[in-house]
Amino acid sequence: MTPPKSPSNPPHEPPPIEVRDVTLSYGQRIIQDKLTFTVKKGATFIIMGGSGCGKSTLLRHLIGLHKPAAGTILRDGHDLWNCDMKTQHKIRQASGTMFQSGGLWSSMNLAENVAFPLQEYTNLNPREIKELCQVKLALVGLAGFENFYPAELSGGMQKRAGIARAMALDPKILFLDEPSAGLDPISARRLDELIIELRESLHTTIVVVTHELQSIFTIATDAIFLDSATHTMTAQGHPRQILQDTTDQNLIDFLTRGTGKTDRQQAI
Amino acid sequence: MGKAKRHARFSVTIDATRPGETILMPEGDWLKQMQIPRIGDLALPRDTKALVLDGTHIRNWDTMLLAFITRLEQYAESNTITFEVVNVPLGLKRLLDLTKSTSNKLQPPEREPESFLTALGNKTLQVFKSFASVNRFVGELVLTLLKFHVGLARTRWSDIWRQIALAGHMALPLISMIGFLIGLILAFIGSIPLKMFGAEIFVASLVGIGILRLMGPVMVGVVMAGRTGAAYAAELGSMNANDEIEAYRAMGLSPMETLVLPRFLALCFVLPPLCIYADLLGLAGGMAVGIFYSGLNRTEFLRQLSATTSLNDLFVGIFSGFVFGVLIAICGCYQGIRCKKNSTAVGQAATSAVVASLICMVIATTIITILCVILKI
Ligand SMILES: Nc1ncnc2c1ncn2[C@@H]1O[C@H](COP(=O)(O)OP(=O)(O)O)[C@@H](O)[C@H]1O
Ligand SMILES: [Mg+2]
């Protein structure tokens, strides 16, 4: 696998996500502050950072589930919290999300889970929907599991199914919260390959939350690092570039598993 | 369905130099929002032996085209036609390979569809099995109680107190209201026929015996089944879904001791006092009607009440309440613990807990009433 190159956003087209001076908080407690970055079209954008630094929280804000305490988040040039219902609806439909705990509907089997958004948002006939579900499940390696319920699957399989459901409508943006956490190395690598494949064949913009170094260096075209001590982002760019340029000890420890700057090359 | 969809375009050509070969060329856009042809619409020649999908003229596509190609593939396979995909966009090719890639694929376990007879047999066995599992649950509970009695169970008093607080004093407002109103209603209904005989004074006896023996405990039982029994089932059920119960087991702690026993003891403990409380409010409701509607005075009412009701009535009521507590706790906890791991099952567990509690309570009341008649209590 050759590492993907960072794409350049097409000119005269607003980037899929633009974050300007955003503060995330739960009530009075500030989780992250002064976040400013852009996700370019076709990028695989990684949000990295230690546990509890606010990665999932940021993702929820990008998706538009929470309103930022300050600052603006633009999706395709529109502020989700300050635009008409129709635009809001359109933008939400154009994205797919896999939640950290899967978020599969436990009372439906996998085929029904994937079919649900198709039934709601397209006017395909039942047979076409069934075929599309089969294809989506086959893409994530779950062909033949149509009739299984989420509770009957392992954690890794649930994650894959979550991705299949997120991809149901061929979204322009895919949000994945820790897709490879808790997977065995081989499954994790296949998931990385799948993500690269989706990006390159369907030109999907993918925002991934992860703290798996292997994934970070394999799939990223762009990344930010959220620091839990200073409550802000301390780096932005391609992970390799970040590792070469930075002098921030927290970040070096994170990217080298705490072995320090001298081992940088080895870590990569 | 709404507006008519644009048709996805395609052309079918037959290569004269190669008999039996048909070339299918999708053209332009092949997207989800378009009408994708069915196999029949393609009008493939009957003698097709080889089908080639040529993607030279495809412009925009999404996974709908992928689904279409997969359909063609299946069709070709079932009709022993060879199938080949050429000149498709690179991305599409890669996705096609991915759907077929074996390195990525997980093998689903075999599942045989069951015949009607098997299904019937399984259902029947299920009924027996559920009897057995209730028995096992109750047996385990009794053993755990014995363990608790000799101080061996790992049940925390703090848990028991918390459950008592949740089930007990937090139910007081609801029980106060319902208790008072039921007393009121009973007295009103009773006073209608009694008035005809000029025997209003017996309203006191009616309310006394009715509330103490039956209505007090039944009312508390219904409230607790709906309020606490359902909560137990839902709470334990969702704990089960999150592997929280397994987490206890894995540490060598029995969920019977850590989860079920505190709830069971709490309900057994709070039901009798709640019954007494409901009795008092019910009597107050009855007395209010006696005084303000039937025109009795308070001493008269109380004298009649104490003359015609005995402490036995109160004791039978309290005993019933205690039995209801046992039943509600068992139904709630059993449904919760054996709940399947999905959100629908949690809802069903809560429903079953309430329904089972009510049925058990009615049966228990019947048995207690008959026993009281036989034993002349
Ligand atoms: N719903 C919530 N209410 C209050 N605090 C929360 C909530 N969700 C998460 N937090 C806090 O926000 C911080 C970031 O959480 P999260 O975004 O889930 O971290 P992670 O980077 O591991 O995904 C954590 O300290 C967590 O305690
Ligand atoms: Mg998280």
Side-chain angles (χ1 to χ4, degrees):
Chain A
M1 262 187 316
T2 50
K5 281 194 288 294
S6 175
S8 53
N9 202 67
H12 317 303
E13 197 176 313
I17 302 177
E18 197 177 346
V19 175
R20 289 190 197 147
D21 214 10
V22 159
T23 304
L24 317 175
S25 67
Y26 285 110
Q28 292 301 308
R29 189 171 150 222
I30 290 184
I31 308 292
Q32 286 286 328
D33 203 6
K34 300 196 200 76
L35 301 180
T36 300
F37 59 87
T38 303
V39 178
K40 292 184 215 140
K41 193 169 181 196
T44 301
F45 189 92
I46 304 239
I47 301 171
M48 50 186 187
S51 285
C53 68
K55 302 183 296 294
S56 299
T57 307
L58 174 58
L59 198 74
R60 284 166 180 277
H61 281 79
L62 297 183
I63 295 165
L65 294 174
H66 298 319
K67 189 176 166 146
T72 42
I73 296 176
L74 299 181
R75 291 273 303 273
D76 291 330
H78 300 283
D79 184 351
L80 271 184
W81 298 98
N82 197 6
C83 70
D84 55 306
M85 287 296 280
K86 213 174 146 195
T87 322
Q88 207 178 36
H89 207 66
K90 215 176 98 195
I91 292 175
R92 279 184 208 274
Q93 253 188 64
S95 71
T97 308
M98 188 210 81
F99 288 94
Q100 186 161 10
S101 51
L104 293 168
W105 296 303
S106 58
S107 58
M108 302 183 194
N109 65 27
L110 293 196
E112 288 164 341
N113 261 284
V114 181
F116 197 82
L118 290 167
Q119 287 160 348
E120 289 302 310
Y121 289 126
T122 67
N123 47 12
L124 299 171
N125 64 41
R127 182 173 163 183
E128 287 168 333
I129 289 184
K130 193 172 152 225
E131 285 171 352
L132 263 183
C133 293
Q134 281 172 353
V135 165
K136 301 276 145 117
L137 287 172
L139 279 178
V140 296
L142 286 175
F145 283 89
E146 283 81 5
N147 293 324
F148 282 66
Y149 284 86
E152 299 171 311
L153 304 180
S154 71
M157 287 152 92
Q158 286 184 13
K159 296 223 153 139
R160 289 175 185 228
I163 296 182
R165 187 181 70 182
M167 295 190 329
L169 292 166
D170 292 325
K172 293 213 253 331
I173 306 187
L174 209 49
F175 294 102
L176 308 176
D177 197 346
E178 307 216 357
S180 50
L183 299 192
D184 62 282
I186 299 179
S187 302
R189 210 196 74 202
R190 294 212 173 113
L191 209 58
D192 288 347
E193 285 168 5
L194 175 69
I195 291 172
I196 295 179
E197 207 61 61
L198 290 179
R199 187 178 87 81
E200 304 207 329
S201 50
L202 290 169
H203 308 293
T204 314
T205 306
I206 304 178
V207 180
V208 188
V209 167
T210 184
H211 46 205
E212 305 273 314
L213 287 179
Q214 198 68 47
S215 286
I216 291 175
F217 286 113
T218 327
I219 62 177
T221 61
D222 225 340
I224 56 169
F225 180 80
L226 302 184
D227 195 275
S228 50
T230 59
H231 296 287
T232 189
M233 49 188 274
T234 52
Q236 175 172 15
H238 191 280
R240 271 170 231 281
Q241 202 61 42
I242 292 179
L243 184 53
Q244 260 168 34
D245 297 348
T246 188
T247 50
D248 179 358
Q249 195 55 43
N250 272 346
L251 186 45
I252 295 168
D253 284 346
F254 180 86
L255 286 173
T256 60
R257 285 212 180 83
T259 54
K261 202 159 183 168
T262 47
D263 290 340
R264 272 189 204 187
Q265 292 314 314
Q266 229 171 309
I268 300 172
Chain B
M1 274 280 154
K3 34 186 186 189
K5 295 198 265 185
R6 253 188 324 141
H7 284 263
R9 287 178 299 121
F10 62 91
S11 69
V12 175
T13 42
I14 300 161
D15 191 342
T17 59
R18 299 160 83 168
E21 185 172 302
T22 305
I23 300 171
L24 174 66
M25 285 184 122
E27 290 167 11
D29 296 348
W30 280 65
L31 300 168
K32 265 201 280 308
Q33 50 273 31
M34 304 180 62
Q35 182 71 52
I36 301 297
R38 284 169 299 181
I39 302 273
D41 300 338
L42 297 176
L44 298 174
R46 273 176 185 280
D47 60 347
T48 303
K49 289 278 166 291
L51 182 60
V52 178
L53 185 127
D54 185 338
T56 318
H57 298 306
I58 296 172
R59 198 170 53 209
N60 291 314
W61 58 276
D62 65 10
T63 42
M64 196 66 227
L65 181 55
L66 204 59
F68 175 72
I69 296 178
T70 315
R71 189 197 301 174
L72 276 183
E73 231 163 39
Q74 280 161 7
Y75 167 80
E77 196 174 336
S78 59
N79 288 287
T80 56
I81 299 174
T82 60
F83 181 61
E84 201 186 346
V85 177
V86 296
N87 296 336
V88 289
L90 183 65
L92 182 58
K93 180 92 188 73
R94 291 175 72 158
L95 284 190
L96 265 179
D97 291 344
L98 193 61
T99 58
K100 284 188 293 242
S101 110
T102 45
S103 74
N104 190 32
K105 192 174 177 326
L106 298 167
Q107 202 55 47
E110 288 290 320
R111 276 191 178 179
E112 292 206 351
E114 46 180 34
S115 70
F116 172 72
L117 277 183
T118 330
L120 187 69
N122 280 339
K123 277 271 179 304
T124 317
L125 283 179
Q126 209 71 53
V127 173
F128 287 110
K129 275 190 192 142
S130 65
F131 269 122
S133 84
V134 174
N135 273 335
R136 196 162 335 113
F137 182 84
V138 174
E140 236 180 285
L141 183 60
V142 171
L143 281 182
T144 312
L145 266 174
L146 290 177
K147 247 173 125 180
F148 181 73
H149 182 66
V150 295
L152 285 177
R154 293 176 183 277
T155 304
R156 300 183 183 192
W157 277 101
S158 61
D159 278 344
I160 301 178
W161 286 123
R162 201 162 54 93
Q163 292 300 336
I164 287 177
L166 281 174
H169 77 248
M170 293 188 189
L172 287 183
L174 190 56
I175 289 181
S176 313
M177 189 190 82
I178 295 183
F180 186 80
L181 291 184
I182 291 280
L184 208 80
I185 294 164
L186 198 62
F188 263 127
I189 290 181
S191 63
I192 296 168
L194 290 175
K195 218 173 196 147
M196 292 183 207
F197 301 107
E200 284 106 323
I201 187 67
F202 285 101
V203 166
S205 322
L206 176 81
V207 170
I209 297 175
I211 290 281
L212 293 185
R213 255 190 199 251
L214 184 73
M215 290 314 284
V218 165
M219 215 165 51
V220 172
V222 169
V223 169
M224 296 311 273
R227 202 181 163 277
T228 311
Y232 286 177
E235 189 186 2
L236 296 181
S238 50
M239 285 181 85
N240 191 24
N242 292 333
D243 289 338
E244 291 174 50
I245 290 182
E246 247 110 76
Y248 280 118
R249 286 216 177 91
M251 284 180 203
L253 298 170
S254 151
M256 274 293 175
E257 293 170 22
T258 51
L259 296 172
V260 176
L261 200 64
R263 288 170 173 74
F264 177 81
L265 290 177
L267 266 193
C268 295
F269 186 81
V270 299
L271 260 267
L274 283 182
C275 280
I276 297 176
Y277 180 74
D279 288 347
L280 288 177
L281 277 153
L283 291 181
M287 197 152 92
V289 172
I291 291 170
F292 295 112
Y293 177 74
S294 304
L296 307 169
N297 73 38
R298 203 172 44 176
T299 25
E300 254 182 315
F301 187 94
L302 288 178
R303 195 180 313 122
Q304 179 67 20
L305 184 66
S306 61
T308 48
T309 56
S310 66
L311 266 185
N312 274 347
D313 294 322
L314 179 66
F315 290 148
V316 169
I318 291 176
F319 176 73
S320 308
F322 173 77
V323 173
F324 294 166
V326 171
L327 294 173
I328 295 168
I330 289 179
C331 291
C333 293
Y334 171 75
Q335 293 292 346
I337 290 264
R338 51 147 250 164
C339 175
K340 289 218 185 75
K341 297 190 174 190
N342 67 61
S343 36
T344 317
V346 175
Q348 278 168 354
T351 312
S352 313
V354 175
V355 172
S357 304
L358 294 182
I359 293 174
C360 291
M361 274 162 45
V362 171
I363 296 175
T365 310
T366 314
I367 295 174
I368 292 173
T369 311
I370 293 174
L371 280 182
C372 287
V373 170
I374 294 173
L375 299 175
K376 302 200 173 59
I377 297 173

